[in-house]
Amino acid sequence: MADIGIHAPHGPDMSGRHPSTVTPQFAMDEDESRVFNRLLKPDDSYTSEGVYWADLNFFKRAKFVLKNDAAETSREAGNVWRMFKKDPLSPVAYYFRNMVLPGAGLGLEGHTWLAAIEYMEIVGIIVGQILVGVIGDWLGRRWGLIQDAVIMFIGLVMLVSMWGVTLNGWIICYVWSLFLYGVGVGGEYPMTATSGMENAVGSGKISTKEDRLHRGRKVTSAFLMQGWGQFFNQVLLILLLLIFHHGSGNPPYSKVAVQWTFRISFAIPAVGTLWLVYYRTYKMKSASKQLQLQKKKSNVTGYDTQSLKMTFYHFGGRMLATAGCWYMNDVFFYGNKLFQSEFIGIVTNHSNSIMPGWLYNLINVGVSLCGYYLASFLIDNKLYGRKHMQTLGFLMDFILFAIPAFNLEYYTSPEHITEFQAMYFLSSFFNQFGPNSVTFIAAAEVYPTAVRATAHGFSAAWGKLGALTAAVLYNYIDTQTKFYVVPWFGLAGVALSVLFLPDTTGLDLKEQERRWAFIRAGRAQEYHGVAVHPKHLSAWERFRGLSKQYDADLDYAQRVEEMRKEWEVMMQEKADEKAGHLDEQDWEDLDHEFSHEVHSYFKKTTNSPMLQGMEREKRSPTLNGQNGYSDNEVDEKRAV
């Protein structure tokens, strides 16, 4: 059996440095170089001269990015137009299938988000984020998605049907129902992020253009369903109250109106969640494919504890960024309620009606959705991307809270309430067009597949600890003090983002997995690819010297040789299965796995006597008594 380990083709030269160029095992002519360039240097990430986009100076980088973005926009617009001409509803169906359904769980979670900020709900969410994250890496993404939807459904049924003879009994039922539902809500975070991200990557040896250009958009589009859930929930609450309170939203509210409004608001998402159980059970059977491939490569059958330990050791700074920034962000997320309560109290003269608050919150959710969609539009842009988006969002929230904090009486006066309102809505916008969107994707993207759900769940749990901090703290300090305290969490978020968050915008996710293979094999220093490019590392990682490993030419030669080793291993395995020979289907499988051009090149240049013998055997008129095929005949069959 061939050695499947990862090897650098050459070590340092006599001076102790790695050579800038390395001659592969077999020298490639110009045509063969073009074959590998198409695979290893795709034109959406490399110039025609083979230069990686992040190696270009600012002006050349901007020109390259704008040109490629324009071409991709034109291509996508053309696809949409062709879909529309064939079937006017097909673009809507495509959006629903690829953007809505992956985030359906978060949409249903957001549907009840506005009910209350309860301690037990937050605790349940924390439990779900950690527990389901571990389950997702242990038993698989599909199992995590299914059991998570089941838990949410059971929790919603309990919320709809709960009852108590006394007020205390009713509250006890409510709290425990909310806790169980919260466990399901928490699990949606790691499972939606990991499954959505890995679905964009594809399953071949080489990553897809969809992954490189639109991975962030796909994940963020799923995440923004949380905003739509909040929007529809608020609309439903308003309509239900008007229906059962005889067209009025003003107090006093009858028990009948409150009971029907409350129970129906949970019953509707319960129906949607039951459908989600069905969909994830029967329509998402390949959700765990990427995880299974990685476990097979690492010879792991259960939970990969070794990868978890190594992740904390090698990516400790990233953990500080994803968990710490999420903590800071959720303090802001709930801090936005400060603006809302103060603003609504002034414009309604502190009315005890809940309807004005619901209406203004509906507007605020609409503003937030604008932030979500702009984030999905720019999150993959190489000139802006994840890190800049999160840093700017934290900075703007810091400013928007700091301004009224030190002149609260002025901005909360009736004469200046419009300025206060503007800052209120802008803080919501920049929270979504910034840390709230980026923390969700970064907490999955910067970690290896083996522990991706666990790392995301851990980071998200720290976020909910931030929410719990805000929920508890706000009960013990007055409004002025709250405004004094909250802005500094934004400034801390800026610092953590700048120092510890790597920028994975435009980074091939499979290239990051390739780097992890080196790390897990104890050969981290031998990796020289773009995953250690200074652009894709945090300031802390660059300070530690990781970017010095980057060597484009050496990495190119390594990747060719790695593909050769994978090809030889696959050839050997197929030969072992077929008692020493390969049939026509085997050769076609290899063509599919590595592309016909690469497969042909490796066949032509192999130095393995066994593989050369199989190639001669394949060309012979007969093969073990069966008719063989010439290369021309094989090519004709492929063409057919």
Side-chain angles (χ1 to χ4, degrees), residues 195-504:
S195 60
M197 182 172 298
E198 291 165 4
N199 181 55
V201 174
S203 59
K205 298 289 182 186
I206 306 299
S207 69
T208 63
K209 191 172 186 177
E210 184 76 10
D211 165 48
R212 294 188 297 271
L213 296 184
H214 305 305
R215 184 175 69 241
R217 184 180 69 183
K218 290 194 73 170
V219 177
T220 308
S221 295
F223 181 60
L224 67 80
M225 290 306 299
Q226 183 187 65
W228 279 113
Q230 295 170 4
F231 180 85
F232 287 119
N233 173 69
Q234 194 65 84
V235 171
L236 180 64
L237 286 173
I238 292 172
L239 292 176
L240 289 174
L241 185 60
L242 292 175
I243 291 170
F244 294 110
H245 198 51
H246 309 295
S248 171
N250 298 321
Y253 305 108
S254 67
K255 291 182 180 180
V256 173
V258 171
Q259 286 285 347
W260 279 103
T261 300
F262 174 85
R263 296 183 190 281
I264 292 178
S265 69
F266 285 118
I268 290 177
V271 175
T273 306
L274 182 60
W275 177 86
L276 197 62
V277 173
Y278 157 78
Y279 180 81
R280 290 176 173 179
T281 302
Y282 293 100
K283 305 296 184 180
M284 297 185 69
K285 295 185 178 181
S286 62
S288 301
K289 189 169 186 178
Q290 287 296 319
L291 179 65
Q292 291 169 349
L293 290 173
Q294 291 304 318
K295 284 189 174 184
K296 183 178 179 181
K297 289 180 180 179
S298 303
N299 294 320
V300 174
T301 55
Y303 188 84
D304 195 345
T305 54
Q306 181 182 353
S307 287
L308 183 62
K309 293 176 183 177
M310 297 179 73
T311 297
F312 276 95
Y313 177 78
H314 289 277
F315 292 158
R318 298 185 176 198
M319 195 67 72
L320 184 60
T322 58
C325 287
W326 211 325
Y327 179 90
M328 305 303 169
N329 173 68
D330 270 26
V331 173
F332 260 104
F333 189 85
Y334 292 103
N336 187 254
K337 308 299 179 184
L338 299 176
F339 270 117
Q340 179 175 305
S341 59
E342 287 299 308
F343 165 71
I344 294 172
I346 293 169
V347 297
T348 63
N349 197 25
H350 298 284
S351 169
N352 59 353
S353 173
I354 62 174
M355 189 59 72
W358 284 1
L359 291 171
Y360 276 110
N361 192 71
L362 185 61
I363 298 172
N364 191 44
V365 173
V367 172
S368 298
L369 279 169
C370 294
Y372 277 122
Y373 274 101
L374 187 58
S376 68
F377 180 73
L378 290 177
I379 200 164
D380 288 311
N381 186 283
K382 295 181 176 70
L383 299 179
Y384 189 60
R386 288 116 159 103
K387 186 167 184 174
H388 290 150
M389 184 181 295
Q390 177 161 297
T391 304
L392 178 63
F394 269 127
L395 182 61
M396 290 304 298
D397 275 340
F398 165 73
I399 294 171
L400 290 166
F401 271 80
I403 290 174
F406 294 95
N407 207 351
L408 187 62
E409 186 176 348
Y410 172 84
Y411 285 108
T412 54
S413 64
E415 298 82 10
H416 300 282
I417 195 62
T418 53
E419 294 107 294
F420 192 79
Q421 178 185 12
M423 289 184 285
Y424 161 48
F425 288 138
L426 284 172
S427 70
S428 294
F429 174 83
F430 279 104
N431 186 257
Q432 313 310 328
F433 179 55
N436 201 41
S437 293
V438 178
T439 50
F440 184 80
I441 183 173
E445 199 172 41
V446 302
Y447 300 112
T449 300
V451 294
R452 179 169 289 140
T454 302
H456 189 283
F458 177 81
S459 301
W462 272 95
K464 284 301 169 282
L465 285 175
L468 191 60
T469 299
V472 174
L473 182 63
Y474 294 171
N475 287 327
Y476 295 97
I477 57 178
D478 59 27
T479 300
Q480 177 65 76
T481 306
K482 293 174 188 175
F483 272 96
Y484 281 147
V485 170
V486 171
W488 308 108
F489 287 91
L491 202 58
V494 172
L496 288 172
S497 300
V498 171
L499 293 176
F500 297 108
L501 183 69
D503 191 356
T504 47

Side-chain angles (χ1 to χ4, degrees), residues 36-53:
F36 286 98
N37 283 346
R38 284 199 297 272
L39 290 173
L40 303 182
K41 294 186 176 183
D43 57 9
D44 55 85
S45 298
Y46 291 82
T47 66
S48 57
E49 293 79 22
V51 180
Y52 188 55
W53 68 270

Side-chain angles (χ1 to χ4, degrees), residues 71-87:
E72 183 65 10
T73 300
S74 176
R75 185 190 69 83
E76 289 195 307
N79 287 342
V80 171
W81 176 242
R82 284 189 290 273
M83 291 168 64
F84 179 82
K85 287 193 296 183
K86 187 176 180 179
D87 179 356

Side-chain angles (χ1 to χ4, degrees), residues 419-582:
E419 294 107 294
F420 192 79
Q421 178 185 12
M423 289 184 285
Y424 161 48
F425 288 138
L426 284 172
S427 70
S428 294
F429 174 83
F430 279 104
N431 186 257
Q432 313 310 328
F433 179 55
N436 201 41
S437 293
V438 178
T439 50
F440 184 80
I441 183 173
E445 199 172 41
V446 302
Y447 300 112
T449 300
V451 294
R452 179 169 289 140
T454 302
H456 189 283
F458 177 81
S459 301
W462 272 95
K464 284 301 169 282
L465 285 175
L468 191 60
T469 299
V472 174
L473 182 63
Y474 294 171
N475 287 327
Y476 295 97
I477 57 178
D478 59 27
T479 300
Q480 177 65 76
T481 306
K482 293 174 188 175
F483 272 96
Y484 281 147
V485 170
V486 171
W488 308 108
F489 287 91
L491 202 58
V494 172
L496 288 172
S497 300
V498 171
L499 293 176
F500 297 108
L501 183 69
D503 191 356
T504 47
T505 307
L507 175 63
D508 188 329
L509 200 62
K510 287 194 174 180
E511 186 63 23
Q512 185 161 273
E513 287 301 311
R514 178 169 164 258
R515 180 196 174 197
W516 180 252
F518 277 88
I519 293 174
R520 201 179 187 284
R523 315 173 73 158
Q525 297 298 322
E526 296 180 22
Y527 175 80
H528 307 287
V530 295
V532 291
H533 191 287
K535 172 67 178 176
H536 300 308
L537 296 175
S538 67
W540 170 246
E541 290 170 329
R542 294 196 298 272
F543 174 77
R544 292 173 54 204
L546 294 179
S547 60
K548 295 178 181 178
Q549 295 176 211
Y550 175 63
D551 188 322
D553 295 330
L554 179 57
D555 179 64
Y556 183 81
Q558 281 183 315
R559 293 169 74 188
V560 172
E561 288 305 297
E562 287 167 20
M563 288 179 67
R564 178 185 296 280
K565 288 182 181 297
E566 289 183 357
W567 178 81
E568 289 178 350
V569 169
M570 190 170 178
M571 289 275 288
Q572 179 70 68
E573 289 176 346
K574 285 187 173 292
D576 291 344
E577 292 174 4
K578 298 295 179 69
H581 72 272
L582 303 184

Side-chain angles (χ1 to χ4, degrees), residues 592-603:
H592 173 73
E593 192 75 17
F594 291 93
S595 86
H596 174 60
E597 294 87 350
V598 171
H599 178 39
S600 298
Y601 171 72
F602 286 153
K603 285 192 299 183

